[in-house]
Amino acid sequence: MDGFDIFGGVHGCADKLKGLLTKLGYKCGDGLCWQSSRQAVFVGDLIDRGRQQLEVLRIVKPMVDNGSAQIVMGNHEFNAICIATPDPRDDAEFLRPHSEKNRDQHQAFLEQVTGETANAIPRLVQDLPVVARPRRHPRRTRLLARGFDESR
């Protein structure tokens, strides 16, 4: 492996993610994106804000499962888990209060997580690790830290 491409702040912008993966030489087909000499590393914040949050998860999860990517949980995934998880000390409350501010922050994600995905997606987010350990030091790493913004 020649190196890693580190992605941060995708925030539900699947089309921009696919475009960037293609620009960086990743091949996409049959529900999987891969690069023969590099590995993607997603440093959280896949969700919240954008209109394609589930699609982002559908792109990234197979990459991680196939070994063409690694991922760590970001604060937006952590907060989504907490807003959906009942407080074990008080059945009427959640680990993250359902205040207007918190609901507004997660509204785009909550609106997209309905029906069958309502059970599967929170579990997928809960399974994200909080630490990634590269298997070896790459010769070259590209850090893609610019946030994904649907308006750009």
Side-chain angles (χ1 to χ4, degrees), residues 10 12 14 17-18 21 28-33 42 46-47 51-65 71 109 112-118 120-121 124-125:
V10 177
L17 175 59
K18 284 188 258 185
L21 287 167
C28 297
D30 296 326
L32 179 65
C33 294
F42 294 93
L46 299 176
I47 63 170
R51 296 184 193 127
Q52 302 171 307
Q53 297 179 57
L54 299 181
E55 184 62 21
V56 167
L57 295 173
R58 289 182 188 114
I59 293 168
V60 173
K61 173 100 170 73
M63 291 178 71
V64 172
D65 291 347
I71 188 168
F109 182 67
Q112 292 177 43
V113 179
T114 60
E116 293 177 18
T117 59
I121 297 303
L124 177 115
V125 173

Side-chain angles (χ1 to χ4, degrees), residues 1 4-5 7 21 26 32-35 38-42 59-72 132 135:
M1 178 184 328
F4 298 109
D5 296 316
F7 296 81
L21 287 167
Y26 287 77
L32 179 65
C33 294
W34 73 97
Q35 228 265 27
R38 303 185 65 79
Q39 186 180 49
V41 179
F42 294 93
I59 293 168
V60 173
K61 173 100 170 73
M63 291 178 71
V64 172
D65 291 347
N66 186 274
S68 41
Q70 295 183 56
I71 188 168
V72 293
R135 291 174 184 85

Side-chain angles (χ1 to χ4, degrees), residues 71-99:
I71 188 168
V72 293
M73 181 185 298
N75 65 308
H76 287 266
E77 290 81 20
F78 179 79
N79 289 335
I81 291 167
C82 291
I83 206 165
T85 304
D87 186 333
R89 298 164 293 175
D90 184 349
D91 291 341
E93 297 295 327
F94 290 81
L95 293 179
R96 183 167 172 93
H98 286 192
S99 66

